[in-house]
Amino acid sequence: MRALLVVNPKATTTSERGRDVLVRALRTEFDLTVQHTRRRGHGTALSREAAETGVDVVVTLGGDGTVNEVVNGLMAAPSLAERPALAVVPGGSTNVFARALGLPKGWAEGTSVILEALHAGRHRTIGLGRADDRYFTFCAGLGLDASVVRRVEQARLRGRTSTPGLYLRSAVNQYFLGVNRRDPAITLERPGEPAEGSLATVIIQNTAPWTYLGDRAINPNPEASFDLGLDVMALRQLHLPSTARTVTQIFSRQPDPRGRQVVRLHDVDEFTLLATRPQPFQLDGDYLGEREKVRFTSVREALRVIC
């Protein structure tokens, strides 16, 4: 069985020694090729080539950004049967996708689970989300959450370490200092349904949780699933009392955010977000610039995943 290991050498929770251990373990099971990503988008090119050349499994060692790139390369193959299976070894700071699949958050434990699953022939088929021409595995956002991602990425470029505290501080600073809270700019349109206008921020989930704060799962849309369509939570306004109430609901042990300012949609196949001014946009925790229009679709039974 042929496999490609795509390694992000900047993965925050692995070392060169750890990567060597992983390579030796995988070579006991596979005819293995190892490739290191060199630039943004390189993982997509590597996995697309793997699909074109008949590789059976693509393994990632990195964070959610590495996984997203590899998934987009695999989806270039025309059918599920022609796509290599995906195996994910957690190597980033958060690893939302891997943990949503039930994998341990450490790379060593994750490798053991993957090898055991391969021995047992165990996998599942999951759906993906698509935003215009790019796929995502667990979440997307337009508005406040994407602006927080942007702020965190800027801090990391200045040498800061990605921690739950950094995300919390970035979210608070962005809310109070960086958001136009008086003039909601986003409209959500669905085929055959009335438009939802004057939205301040929109979170889209392809699974639950939306993210993790350390070991704590954060769930704006707790019913989201890899086996269903997309789930949406939007806020009409970002007034302090209503926003604080919604955040408290999201952080509760049994999250179910509701209220006059909350819009929730479950198991949606298609919708479009339109904005009257450019809005920050993120997919799977990667900031992708500003957008005024994004079309979202659910792609069911898109990818085989070893888990």
Side-chain angles (χ1 to χ4, degrees):
M1 185 179 289
R2 295 175 60 206
L4 169 67
L5 172 63
V6 178
V7 178
N8 179 355
K10 297 181 180 179
T12 57
T13 60
T14 62
S15 64
E16 186 174 350
R17 179 178 178 277
R19 291 193 288 269
D20 290 342
V21 171
L22 172 62
V23 168
R24 287 197 297 271
L26 291 174
R27 280 192 169 140
T28 65
E29 303 294 331
F30 297 111
D31 175 8
L32 182 70
T33 300
V34 181
Q35 295 277 12
H36 291 72
T37 57
R38 307 297 182 191
R39 59 190 179 278
R40 194 161 190 168
H42 193 196
T44 299
L46 293 172
S47 57
R48 182 185 294 117
E49 182 180 358
E52 292 171 350
T53 56
V55 168
D56 300 291
V57 179
V58 175
V59 184
T60 65
L61 176 60
D64 291 309
T66 304
V67 174
N68 180 277
E69 288 193 5
V70 165
V71 165
N72 275 273
L74 296 178
M75 290 302 293
S79 70
L80 176 63
E82 295 172 86
R83 289 171 200 140
L86 173 68
V88 177
V89 178
S93 58
T94 311
N95 306 304
V96 178
F97 178 66
R99 293 164 74 180
L101 289 170
L103 293 169
K105 64 179 181 179
W107 70 265
E109 298 88 346
T111 300
S112 297
V113 170
I114 288 169
L115 292 174
E116 179 187 346
L118 288 165
H119 276 299
R122 192 169 63 239
H123 72 274
R124 65 179 291 191
T125 301
I126 66 168
L128 298 171
R130 184 170 179 172
D132 291 337
D133 59 352
R134 181 159 175 170
Y135 296 91
F136 60 97
T137 62
F138 64 92
C139 81
L142 192 71
L144 177 60
D145 82 310
S147 63
V148 173
V149 170
R150 175 179 60 192
R151 186 178 283 261
V152 170
E153 289 191 1
Q154 290 169 345
R156 292 179 67 180
L157 288 173
R158 296 193 299 269
R160 300 288 297 279
T161 301
S162 180
T163 64
L166 176 61
Y167 275 94
L168 279 175
R169 289 190 297 274
S170 298
V172 171
N173 289 336
Q174 186 65 32
Y175 176 80
F176 284 106
L177 303 175
V179 173
N180 182 344
R181 289 185 274 145
R182 297 179 179 273
D183 184 20
I186 304 171
T187 296
L188 187 153
E189 295 182 349
R190 286 190 291 162
E193 299 288 344
E196 292 280 1
S198 297
L199 303 176
T201 190
V202 184
I203 290 170
I204 302 99
Q205 289 177 237
N206 185 51
T207 189
W210 166 52
T211 190
Y212 285 88
L213 193 64
D215 290 332
R216 182 76 172 272
I218 310 300
N219 259 321
N221 294 293
E223 295 181 337
S225 169
F226 287 126
D227 301 318
L228 300 173
L230 301 174
D231 277 28
V232 178
M233 191 203 78
L235 298 181
R236 299 185 189 279
Q237 301 284 342
L238 291 175
H239 299 316
L240 183 57
S242 60
T243 302
R245 183 170 56 251
T246 302
V247 170
T248 300
Q249 292 172 336
I250 291 171
F251 275 71
S252 70
R253 294 295 180 183
Q254 295 182 316
D256 187 20
R258 296 184 181 277
R260 287 183 301 174
Q261 303 301 332
V262 179
V263 176
R264 295 267 302 279
L265 301 174
H266 175 59
D267 192 14
V268 181
D269 286 321
E270 177 185 346
F271 62 94
T272 300
L273 298 180
L274 303 165
T276 56
R277 59 181 181 272
Q279 296 292 302
F281 174 57
Q282 65 90 8
L283 289 183
D284 286 345
D286 272 356
Y287 178 66
L288 298 179
E290 294 186 334
R291 301 288 181 89
E292 294 180 71
K293 180 179 180 181
V294 188
R295 179 174 179 264
F296 289 90
T297 53
S298 171
V299 184
R300 302 184 188 236
E301 297 187 342
L303 196 64
R304 291 176 297 120
V305 179
I306 307 299
C307 62

